[in-house]
Structures are given as C-alpha cells and as structure tokens.
C-alpha cells in the first residue's frame, strides 16, 4: 500500500553510478517538502532497502533507475521531480564539463593509449558483473589493472589473474580497495610520505592501517599493491601476491616488504613463505589469524627491523571506564579491521557473531542482530550490491548505530572511521551526533594521516568532542573496548 | 605499454566506474582518462564475460585484423556471371541473407522478375512472379557465391561481373556493373527502359571494360579507395572521385579498343555521369578483404552485414557460415521528389559490406560533401566516425581520414563491443520504393536491428564454453 505522499517511478536505461546517485539522493532529500528521497539503480538490494523504507517498487530490472520520493504534501510532487531532474542533470554536467567536443571513451579499451611506452594503469570500479570485461581490456593492452569492484566471481578472478600471469601483468583485486603506486593513491588511499617500505595487501583497510601507523612512526611507503581479499585462498593460490612481490623485489627503491592479509588458506601461506624466502628483498608476513600478531604488532616488528623506535600510537578523547550493558557491538566499514577486531576480542570475550564470522556457525542472519557480542562488516559484498561502499555512504551503518545505541544490552560500541582519498569528505560530521546520542561508551579506530583530505587530527578531535575514545591503532581500540566490558564473556 | 616500477607514479590512469576515483586521482595531479561506462545490452553480461575470457579471442582477432588489412584488391577482369559463378539459366543471386519468395519485399521481387525477363525466360516480367513462387525459378544469396550485389543485388547468368583478386592468395570476389540511378533493376524497377539499359551493358559496356582491363592490366581497387577517402568520397554513397580515377586508368585502353568511337563515347558518358559507378568495385574489394577473416575460431569480428529487404543479417569470423538475422529497418533520410517514408522499403542490399570494412558510414567524416544527402551534418559525420572506433578492432593504416588528423578508418566490427556499448554500426544507404517496379525513393542512414548482435555473441559464447569443457 503506497501512501498518497509516496511517489515511485522507474526510468528505464538511465544509468548512473552509485556514488553519483548517492549525491543526487542527498540533494533531492534536502529539497523543501521532501521527507525522504532515494534515487538508485533498481538492484535487488536497493529494491529491498526501498521496501524497508515503505516504498512499493513495481517490477523493474537492475538497469532501470528508480526514483522514490516521500513528500510532506502530495502537491509538492512536481517540485520534487524537478529537483530530481536538476540533480541528475547537474551530475551529468559535472562530468561533461571536463570533456571536449569529442565524446569520452565508452570502454576501457578505447580509453587506453593505442601504443607507446607510457606506464598506464587501469582502475575498474564498474558493477561486479561487468568488471571482468573491462579488466580484460586493460590486460589486452598490456596494462596492469586494479579492480575495485566487488561481486566478481571467483572463477572470473582466477581467469583474470591467469591471463595476467601469462603476460607478466599485475591484477590488483577484484575487491581491492586500496593501492598506492609511486605516491599516487588509488581507490581508498591515505596520503603518506614516500619511503623504503613496500606493502602487498590482500585487504584494503588492513593496508590503510599499516600505512597510517608507519606514517605516524615517520616511515614512508614506496608502494602498496593490493591483491584482493581472496588472493591467498586455495582457489586463487596467491597469484597476484607473487607477481606483486616480484615487482617490489625488482624495484631498487624498496628495501623491505610487508605482506598484509586477512586469514589466508594455510597451504597457500606456507607456499608463500617459501616463495618470499627466495627473494632478495626481506619480506615480512602479517597474515591475520588466531594466535598471529595483530597489524599494530606487525608494524612494531617491522619498525624494529628498520631500527626505528616504536612511538606511542596516538589516541584522544576521554577514556570510558564503566558501562551498564554487557555486549560488544562492533560496526565496521573495513573488512580487515573487523576481522582483526574479532580475532583480538574473541580471546577475551569468546565467540563473536558476525556477517563475516571467524567460524561458519557464528554467522548472522540478514537482520544483522544477535543476542550476544557481534561485529558487522558493512563493506561486505552482500551489503554493497548496487550501493556505494560504506566508506562513501554511511546510511546503513548509521541506522545500525542508532539501533545499537538504543539497545540496553549494548556495553560498548566499537567503530572504525577510515580516512583518505575516495572516502567521505567529513565522516565525523555524520557520526558525531549519533555518538553524542549514544548512551553506552563508544571507542573509535580512526585510520588516517594528517595529510589526508579529511585531516586525521580534525576528525579525531570532532569524534572525541562527541564523547568517543579515539585511537589510530585498531588493535588498541579493540583492547580498550574489551577492557571497558571488563573482559567479561 | 610498460608496467611501472611500483615506486614510480604511473604516467596516466584510465578509470571505468565511479567518477569519485577519477576525481581523487585528479586531485593528486595524475592525468586521468575517464570511461563513460554504461551497462551493456540487456542479458549479455554473462556471454560478454565468457567471450572476453575465451583464450582464443585476442590472437584470433589480431589474426582477423591482420588478414583483412593484408588484402590487396585488384580488378583483374570482367566476364559474364554464367562463366564466373557457374550460374545456370533460371537461377539467380540476390542481396542479403537467404530469403524465400513469400517473404521477399517489393523491390526484391521486382528485381528478380526483371532479371527473369532480361534472361528471356519470360516476355513480361509480371509473368515471372508465378515461376518464382512455384520454385521453377530459384535464387540464393550473392555472398554464398563470393559475390556482392547493391540494393536487390540480383545477378542473372548473362550479366557481366567485375573480378577482384587478391594476388597473394588468388582468392576472388565478384560484383555486377552499376546501372546508374533512378529507375534501375537494383531498386526493383523492371520497365522496358531498364531492360534495354541492361542489354546495352551486357552487349557493349561489359565487353568494352573487359577489353580495357585486359589491355591496361589490373586496376588497384584498394589503392583507389585510399585516394578516394582523401578526396571526399566515403565509397558507399559517394564514389565520384573513385569513378573518375577508374576512368583515368581505363579510358586510354577503351579509346584504343576495337569498339566504335560512338560505343566508347557512350560508355565514357555513362560512367562519367554515374557517380556511383565505382561502388560496384568498392563492394567486392571490401568483401575480398573481409572474406580473408572468415572461419577464424574465437574471432568476434563481423565479416558481413547484409540486407535482403526483409531481414538484416550478419556473419561473424568465429561462427562459420551462420547468419544472425532480424527485421531490416527503414532508413532515416531524405526522399526524392514526392516520395515519403510511407513509400520506402526496409533496408536492402549487400552494400553494407563497405561499412563492415570501415568505409561508407564508418568513414563518413571523409565525405562532408554528402552529409546532407544522407540527412546529417558535418559535426554528425565526425562524431559518427569517432563513434565507430568504439566498436571496431583496428584502424586501417592505408585508409586515412584527413579531417580526423589522418586517423585510419574504423575497421573490423567487434560483436562484443557492440553489445558492451549499445552503439550500432552506422550505415549509409539508398532507399528503394516498397512497391515492385518503383525504383529509388531516397537515401539516408540506417542501423542494423540491435538484437542480432547479442544473438551472435551468444553463439560465440556457446563455442567458447564448448572449448572450455568439451562434451564427453
């Protein structure tokens, strides 16, 4: 049943990317008389979100644009639709402004230089079902490619990486959030000084954590090559990790390499250790897993080997000491940060339910709630199909934060805030009011640097002013959250 | 391209997807080329991925391009179709994919009826209809016998044909002689005047040209096409420069022939007054090049686009002799005299072989003089040629377009690129009247029916899957 103030229309064939549509939705929602607005591609996930908002969406295909408006007064429809058209036109004009009379290229293939000796890199972030084709274009042109897109099948990932290996090329991803090449950040990337450390990362936010800790210790990063979260799985067998290590090994500017990964397949980890030992450049492996060092310890170990003193990792805000609730609620945008938090907290608190659980029996259902300790990765594939990543679009996490804050069982809320190129321009602005309104203590891991567009100290100060305890080290933040709960199980 | 040492920044980054990441790179002062990505044609995502992942594809397409670009089309002679094509009395060739009489359009029927009268099988062309309907007279596509025919493309045994040959492979293709404009057989007209002209072409023009080619030696058709593109012809709807260059090559030998001065003068006047005369050499030259790419497993290159007035069909290098067909569209353009859209037949003819090879509508930018004739503007023409580069595998280094800074003609339509971009091949075409006997009613622009490209892609994907997991 659609209320008289609700309006839903389908616009077939009017494609725009999810980030653009997020901005359009925000602009329309800010129009006087509009109570709520969602302009999105009609993917199953988005249709579900619209359904949960109470909109009745007619049959449509994922290639259709759906415009859903909730109005204060039905008479405001014309103005609201005008605002949608204006916002869409503005988004298009923003892109067209940069173009000349010549239409922009329509495929990765035609956007690459026809020939030459330039070092060109391709960055693919189209919806997952279409990413393979664009990435193959890059490999066909003899060019390395970073595939930011998630929801690419494992079969396609293996095929892509096999082609790359045959041609001596590097595939970063799929689902590679972060890379830095010669100081240029790709995807979500922090601004750090150049230096002797090379990073190979099967995890985006893990890579960011390591880069930001090194920056805080005064050590620069020469290159950070992402390989995608599944590269160290049995099926993929570390194909891209090996290529990345080989590249870094042949680069005279790189003195030491750190490999960062979510928990890898054991046999792949073993083979990788052997491979790493065969290279000239010293390789350190920071492979997360039970009984393994966390990322902060891994960085501390690396600093030791570089002969650099370990600093005291920055933190701010008022330390919370007690809480009425007993449960830990971790709400993450970074998958590796979530993994690391679960590994650390499990030791003290026992099993933790999650949508990316350490053990299959700990999986959460679609409601993402449970009567127990839980941690959610809002950046997981199943929560980003047809939506922007939560590092860009905070909507879904803010919704769950409000629910956790209102739940008397909540003892501590643990959050990550990841800064850098590509991420939200001012994440603290949206989070601070929610933190201030939260009864239970809030501990935040704020991963960033002073040179990031958002500026680490400003974000940390805003979060602290709202009442949160803020740490640069995710491991430190998790240990503080556990301590506040008194380590109770 | 050279993969970078990881500690050195890339010279530039190409981005496809969220504009945010392109912006982030620009803010770091990195040159960015941003793809205007759009979803592919509906339902093609899986087949696109399958074909993109086909291990044969890249080398197969490289080979297809190499072969097409390697062909030198030489006009080596002329002779009657009966001698060249083993064409028997009562059997005819026609344009487009295979067709049955009951589905044949007005101009196709008119041309076949006129050809039957021309061969003396019937006195009155109207009497031929019954014989075609009963199967007493038969017909098959020109393409199936190495030939191409403009518009209805009807070839009968006594018509003279050009013979184009690639010296390296000795492969040959064929095409009939151009009849001029207006009421002509290829537009479905079959009046006495039409048949009289065909008779003169058979008795005077064909033998005269054959003698001239024999005497002066082969004519380099590919070379003439190269010059045409630099002289304002796109070699489909404008062949003025090409026609005059052909005359330049052949007229001395024509003047020295055993034919009377009157015959020679009449032939020179006919050719000189017919701006499309060279089209019938351009077409088989294009087919000769494209046929070189037939039968390359894994190649996604289109080797023929063709219409019979009812269906539009394509053939693809990697799918053997299969035709992928859909309903032919009515062109959008300008009409002669009092004719209007209601008079026009759906698109017809093998002449889209020129677009398949990269000229015609694909090289529209080379021919600003005719853009209005086909209903466009000069900026449209430049944009069209650039757009065709989005769906083609290569640029022809020989066929350069001066106004685009000598960029090569867009060559080798890639089925998967058409499906990815939704950009359809642009074809320049003439329009036949839909009633048999009418003749030409206009000219304009047309595209293939979109659905034939996903159909061809699906067949390519099925072959790729079959190779990946051979059935037991």
């Amino acid at each position: 049943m659609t209320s008289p103030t609700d309006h839903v229309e389908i616009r077939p064939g009017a494609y725009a990317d999810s980030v653009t549509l997020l901005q359009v939705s925000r602009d329309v929602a800010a129009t006087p008389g509009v109570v709520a607005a969602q302009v999105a591609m009609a993917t199953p996930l988005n249709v579900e979100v619209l359904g949960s908002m109470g909109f009745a969406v007619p049959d449509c295909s994922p290639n259709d644009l759906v415009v859903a408006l909730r109005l204060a007064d039905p008479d405001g429809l014309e103005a609201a639709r005008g605002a949608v058209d204006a916002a869409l036109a503005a988004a298009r004009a923003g892109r067209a402004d940069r173009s000349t009379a010549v239409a922009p290229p329509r495929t990765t293939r035609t956007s690459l230089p026809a020939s030459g000796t330039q070092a060109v890199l391709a960055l693919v972030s189209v919806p997952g079902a279409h990413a393979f084709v664009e990435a193959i274009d890059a490999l066909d042109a003899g060019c390395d490619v970073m595939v930011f897109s998630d929801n690419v099948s494992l079969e396609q990932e293996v095929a892509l990486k096999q082609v790359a290996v045959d041609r001596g090329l590097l595939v970063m991803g799929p689902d590679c959030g972060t890379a830095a090449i010669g100081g240029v950040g790709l995807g979500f990337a922090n601004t750090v000084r150049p230096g002797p450390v090379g990073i190979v990362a099967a995890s985006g936010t893990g890579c960011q954590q390591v880069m930001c800790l090194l920056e805080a210790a005064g050590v620069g990063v020469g290159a950070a090559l992402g390989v995608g979260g599944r590269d160290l799985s049995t099926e993929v067998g570390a194909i891209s990790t090996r290529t990345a290590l080989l590249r870094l090994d042949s680069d005279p500017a790189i003195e030491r390499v750190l490999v960062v990964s979510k928990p890898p397949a054991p046999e792949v980890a073993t083979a990788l250790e052997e491979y790493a030992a065969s290279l000239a450049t010293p390789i350190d492996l920071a492979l997360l897993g039970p009984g393994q060092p966390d990322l902060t310890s891994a960085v501390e170990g690396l600093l030791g080997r570089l002969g650099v003193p370990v600093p005291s990792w920055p933190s701010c805000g008022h330390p919370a000491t007690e809480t009425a609730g007993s449960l830990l609620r971790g709400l993450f945008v970074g998958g590796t940060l979530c993994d690391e938090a679960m590994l650390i907290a499990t030791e003290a608190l026992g099993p933790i339910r999650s949508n990316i659980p350490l053990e299959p029996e700990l999986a959460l259902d679609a409601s993402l709630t449970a009567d127990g300790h839980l941690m959610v990765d809002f950046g997981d594939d199943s929560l980003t199909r047809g939506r922007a990543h939560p590092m860009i679009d905070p909507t879904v996490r803010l919704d769950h934060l409000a629910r956790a804050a209102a739940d008397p069982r909540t003892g501590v809320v643990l959050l990550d805030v990841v800064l850098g190129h590509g991420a939200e321009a001012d994440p603290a602005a949206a989070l601070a009011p929610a933190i201030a309104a939260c009864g239970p203590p809030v501990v935040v891991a704020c991963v960033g640097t002073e040179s990031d567009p958002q500026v680490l100290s400003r974000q940390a100060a805003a979060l602290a002013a709202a009442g949160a305890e803020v740490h640069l080290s995710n491991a430190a933040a998790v240990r503080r959250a556990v301590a506040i709960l008194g380590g109770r199980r | 391209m050279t993969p970078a040492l990881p500690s050195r920044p890339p010279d530039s980054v190409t981005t496809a997807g969220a504009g945010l990441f392109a912006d982030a790179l620009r803010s770091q002062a990195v040159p960015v080329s941003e793809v205007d990505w759009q979803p592919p044609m509906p339902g093609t995502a899986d087949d696109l991925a399958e074909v993109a992942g086909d291990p044969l594809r890249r080398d197969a397409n490289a080979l297809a391009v190499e072969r097409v670009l390697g062909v030198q089309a030489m006009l080596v002679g002329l002779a009657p179709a009966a001698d060249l094509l083993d064409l028997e009395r009562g059997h005819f060739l026609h344009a487009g994919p295979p067709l049955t009489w009951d589905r044949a359009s007005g101009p196709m029927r008119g041309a076949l009826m006129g050809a039957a009268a021309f061969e003396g099988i019937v006195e009155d062309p109207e009497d031929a209809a019954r014989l075609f309907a009963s199967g007493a007279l038969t017909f098959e596509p020109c393409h199936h016998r190495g030939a191409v025919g403009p518009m209805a493309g009807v070839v009968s045994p006594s018509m003279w044909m050009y013979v184009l040959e690639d010296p390296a492979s000795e492969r040959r293709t064929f095409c009939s002689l151009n009849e001029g404009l207006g009421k002509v057989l290829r537009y479905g007209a079959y009046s006495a005047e039409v048949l009289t002209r065909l008779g003169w072409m058979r008795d005077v023009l064909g033998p005269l040209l054959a003698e001239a080619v024999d005497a002066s030696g082969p004519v380099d058709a590919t070379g003439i096409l190269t010059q045409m593109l630099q002289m304002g012809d796109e070699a489909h709807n404008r062949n003025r420069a090409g026609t005059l260059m052909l005359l330049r090559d052949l007229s001395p030998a024509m003047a020295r022939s055993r034919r009377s001065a009157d015959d020679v003068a009449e032939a020179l006047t006919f050719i000189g007054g017919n701006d499309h005369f060279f089209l019938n050499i351009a077409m088989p030259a294009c087919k000769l090049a494209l046929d070189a790419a037939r039968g390359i497993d894994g190649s996604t290159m289109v080797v023929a686009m063709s219409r019979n007035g009812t269906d539009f069909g394509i053939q693809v290098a990697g799918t053997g002799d299969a035709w992928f067909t859909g309903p032919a569209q009515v062109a959008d353009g300008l009409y002669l005299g009092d004719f209007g859209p209601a008079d026009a037949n759906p698109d017809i003819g093998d002449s889209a072989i020129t677009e398949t090879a990269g000229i015609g509508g694909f090289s529209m930018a080379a021919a600003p003089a005719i853009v209005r004739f086909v209903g466009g503007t000069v900026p449209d023409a430049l944009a069209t040629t650039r757009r065709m580069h989005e769906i083609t595998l290569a640029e022809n280094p020989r066929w350069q377009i001066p106004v685009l800074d000598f960029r090569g003609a867009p060559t080798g339509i890639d089925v998967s690129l058409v499906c990815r971009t939704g950009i359809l091949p642009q074809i320049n075409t003439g329009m036949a009247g839909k009633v048999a006997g009418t003749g030409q009613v206009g000219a304009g622009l047309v595209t293939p029916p979109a659905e034939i490209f996903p159909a061809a892609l699906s067949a390519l994907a099925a072959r790729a899957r079959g190779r990946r997991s051979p059935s037991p």
Side-chain angles (χ1 to χ4, degrees), chain A residues 95 98 105-106 109-111 116-119 121 123 125 132-134 136-137 140 155-156 182 185 251 392, chain B residues 1-2 6-7 11-16 18 20 26 28 33-34 36-37 49 57-58 390 392 420-421 468:
Chain A
R95 305 238 80 81
R98 281 189 294 270
R106 289 292 306 278
R109 173 185 160 277
T110 42
S111 75
T117 53
Q118 288 187 78
L121 195 71
L123 168 53
S125 60
F132 178 78
V133 173
E134 301 298 322
I136 282 279
D137 273 0
D140 279 355
E155 187 189 20
Q156 289 186 347
D251 189 333
I392 303 168
Chain B
M1 246 159 273
T2 46
S7 68
D11 295 320
S12 71
V13 178
T14 274
T15 65
L20 161 87
R26 284 190 197 95
Q28 299 174 74
S33 170
E34 199 173 356
D36 177 23
W37 187 86
R57 177 190 48 86
R58 190 171 75 139
E390 291 285 348
T392 45
R420 282 170 69 181
T421 61
R468 199 150 52 93

Side-chain angles (χ1 to χ4, degrees), chain B residues 10 26 77 102 245 284 287 292-293 301 312 348 357 367 391 398 430 463:
Chain B
R26 284 190 197 95
D102 58 306
M245 278 187 278
K287 179 171 171 62
M301 185 199 274
F312 191 118
I348 186 167
I391 57 168
R398 202 148 36 176
R463 284 175 173 242

Side-chain angles (χ1 to χ4, degrees), chain B residues 80-82 85 87-93 111-112 114-116 118-119 121 153-161 176 185 198 202:
Chain B
L85 300 173
L87 199 60
E88 289 160 15
R89 186 178 167 82
H91 190 61
F92 302 86
L93 304 183
L112 285 166
F118 175 61
E119 293 298 320
I121 296 169
V154 169
V155 175
S156 66
S158 64
M159 289 181 185
W160 282 70
M161 310 285 282
S176 57
L185 189 79
L198 286 174
R202 174 191 60 209

Side-chain angles (χ1 to χ4, degrees), chain A residues 211-255:
Chain A
M211 288 176 82
C212 293
L213 291 172
L214 287 171
E215 171 72 13
V219 173
V221 172
L225 306 178
V227 292
R230 291 187 302 217
D231 197 64
L232 297 181
S233 67
T234 307
E235 293 82 354
V236 184
I239 301 177
S240 284
T241 300
R242 285 165 183 254
T243 306
L245 285 172
L246 200 60
R247 290 278 183 91
L248 292 169
D249 191 42
S250 67
D251 189 333
I254 304 295
E255 294 168 20

